Amino acid sequence: MENKENIALVVGVTGITGSNLAEELISQGWTTCGLSRNKHSNIPGLHSIKADLMDPKTLVDALEGISPTHVYFTTWMKNDSEEENIRVNSALVRNMLNILAPKKTVQHVALVTGLKHYLGPFEAYAKAGVLPETPVREEHPRLSLPNFYYAQEDEVYKASERDGFTWSIHRPHTVVGHAVGNLMNIATTLAVYATICKEAGRKFTWPGSEAQWNGISDVTDAGILAQQLIWASTTPSAKNQAYNITNGDVFRWKWLWKRLADWFGIEADGFNGEVRPLEKQMQYDQQIWSEIADTYDLKEKKLEHLASAWHTDLDLGRPLEVMCDMSKSRALGFSAFKSTENSFKEVFERLRAERMIP
């Protein structure tokens, strides 16, 4: 393997965050290794590694001869309870860092978590009594609830004290980016939903809450997240800190929803006084998606491989407006910006070019 000055290991390289990060690292000339459990990525220039993070033996074998300087942890595993989430997802981080420790090459570890740090875990997500004041800020104290994000952070802190590397924690809002088969993919989910609406003659119906429809919001482009990850891991004054990360603009969904509908040439239907979950709207849409895929010769016929309605419902169904304060990283020199409307439309265009949507 080519041994450049910076050797990155992207853990979870097939996800939205990991794949976009790997592409950015490679474009900047880094030697980039990408680890995933089930499949190899087709990113040009990536050194692919297949291993199970819950199986230390496979990790030892897979990482033989690989000595990263920078580790970017961008993956997690969803389980049936938050207690199980904590057990499994802390082990993912712990196993990786324990196996890398003897190599003594790791200079920095970056961990991607998210706004559940402020809003609570899935089973208590954005419930009354635990809601933070918005815009959320990094110094907000941990909630008195079990949360696997906290457990993952603690594993990084412990290994940092033991091994001497620096660290950064990154808390994106909803990540908008290209990836197929990801568990949390709002842009692809909405693209598939809009396609079904167009073919079936339905309206593009808002699935979420009144607070989200009318409130101010922001999201995180996967490319902006990638830039912050690299910035924090290579800027001395930015290390050993936690950072919010969003595009830098704000919007209201009642404005954006119509603009997304217009891109697909369909009619938008806004909030009408009740929550109309996307998961319920799309529960019987496998047949129509199969027909769409056949008609337009699309690459993916299984709706579940593209759409993650349950997660989009969580984001759009929150009972409060949610936005992130970006002052901390801005004050330290991070200035990247992205138009949210363009974030979504660029994903739509790429999905169309790759024949994922017609």
Side-chain angles (χ1 to χ4, degrees):
M1 179 179 293
E2 187 177 9
N3 185 16
K4 296 184 179 179
E5 181 179 355
N6 291 322
I7 302 174
L9 175 61
V10 179
V11 185
V13 75
T14 56
I16 297 176
T17 298
S19 60
N20 283 274
L21 172 60
E23 290 175 353
E24 181 65 24
L25 287 162
I26 291 167
S27 76
Q28 293 190 23
W30 289 52
T31 296
T32 305
C33 307
L35 186 145
S36 60
R37 182 177 56 172
N38 295 321
K39 59 183 178 181
H40 290 274
S41 174
N42 58 359
I43 298 172
L46 180 74
H47 302 277
S48 293
I49 304 166
K50 184 176 181 179
D52 183 350
L53 289 166
M54 292 299 289
D55 184 347
K57 177 62 168 66
T58 70
L59 270 180
V60 170
D61 294 342
L63 295 173
E64 184 178 359
I66 297 173
S67 300
T69 58
H70 295 69
V71 179
Y72 299 95
F73 211 95
T74 71
T75 192
W76 68 290
M77 292 176 63
K78 188 175 186 293
N79 297 275
D80 292 336
S81 69
E82 193 60 19
E83 286 72 19
E84 190 66 3
N85 277 333
I86 290 170
R87 184 188 71 82
V88 171
N89 289 292
S90 61
L92 302 184
V93 177
R94 183 170 60 253
N95 290 345
M96 172 61 70
L97 297 182
N98 284 349
I99 288 167
L100 292 176
K103 297 177 184 287
K104 301 185 183 301
T105 60
V106 176
Q107 300 171 17
H108 187 90
V109 173
L111 171 68
V112 178
T113 60
L115 293 201
K116 289 191 293 297
H117 184 94
Y118 307 113
L119 300 176
F122 286 125
E123 59 197 49
Y125 193 55
K127 302 298 184 185
V130 297
L131 302 179
E133 182 180 11
T134 58
V136 294
R137 293 175 169 83
E138 293 90 344
E139 65 266 24
H140 190 276
R142 289 183 175 184
L143 303 173
S144 57
L145 293 167
N147 193 319
F148 80 84
Y149 282 172
Y150 305 161
Q152 287 188 311
E153 285 187 5
D154 289 342
E155 293 294 341
V156 172
Y157 300 151
K158 286 187 289 186
S160 172
E161 291 180 4
R162 179 190 68 199
D163 300 335
F165 58 74
T166 58
W167 54 266
S168 56
I169 309 296
H170 302 261
R171 299 170 185 161
H173 198 157
T174 302
V175 178
V176 177
H178 177 271
V180 175
N182 186 269
L183 286 174
M184 302 187 297
N185 195 328
I186 190 172
T188 300
T189 297
L190 292 181
V192 169
Y193 172 57
T195 299
I196 291 171
C197 289
K198 186 170 185 175
E199 290 298 310
R202 301 183 204 164
K203 294 181 179 180
F204 189 55
T205 299
W206 171 253
S209 68
E210 181 178 13
Q212 283 292 296
W213 178 252
N214 290 316
I216 296 174
S217 189
D218 50 23
V219 298
T220 307
D221 187 272
I224 290 290
L225 175 54
Q227 291 179 55
Q228 194 196 56
L229 283 159
I230 299 170
W231 166 81
S233 65
T234 56
T235 303
S237 62
K239 295 176 180 179
N240 300 330
Q241 299 283 334
Y243 297 105
N244 292 332
I245 174 62
T246 60
N247 287 353
D249 64 356
V250 295
F251 64 93
R252 299 183 196 274
W253 276 105
K254 65 181 180 181
W255 170 83
L256 183 61
W257 196 250
K258 184 179 186 305
R259 299 179 80 85
L260 300 184
D262 288 346
W263 194 90
F264 287 93
I266 54 181
E267 182 180 352
D269 180 22
F271 182 74
N272 73 343
E274 63 177 348
V275 175
R276 295 171 286 180
L278 205 57
E279 193 167 25
K280 185 175 181 180
Q281 291 189 52
M282 299 179 71
Q283 63 182 327
Y284 302 118
D285 282 344
Q286 176 57 63
Q287 181 58 40
I288 189 172
W289 183 256
S290 296
E291 294 170 1
I292 291 169
D294 286 339
T295 299
Y296 296 98
D297 191 28
L298 303 182
K299 290 184 177 179
E300 182 54 69
K301 294 185 179 181
K302 290 188 176 181
L303 186 61
E304 64 185 22
H305 289 176
L306 294 171
S308 50
W310 67 274
H311 189 264
T312 297
D313 284 338
L314 280 173
D315 281 337
L316 302 185
R318 295 171 183 151
L320 77 166
E321 66 175 17
V322 180
M323 73 201 84
C324 301
D325 181 83
M326 281 283 292
S327 300
K328 188 175 183 180
S329 60
R330 296 292 190 225
L332 290 170
F334 181 74
S335 60
F337 172 88
K338 180 79 174 186
S339 158
T340 289
E341 183 178 0
N342 288 344
S343 288
F344 278 97
K345 291 181 177 180
E346 286 173 9
V347 174
F348 298 162
E349 289 165 358
R350 184 167 174 181
L351 290 170
R352 180 170 284 174
E354 295 180 357
R355 297 205 339 269
M356 293 295 175
I357 62 172

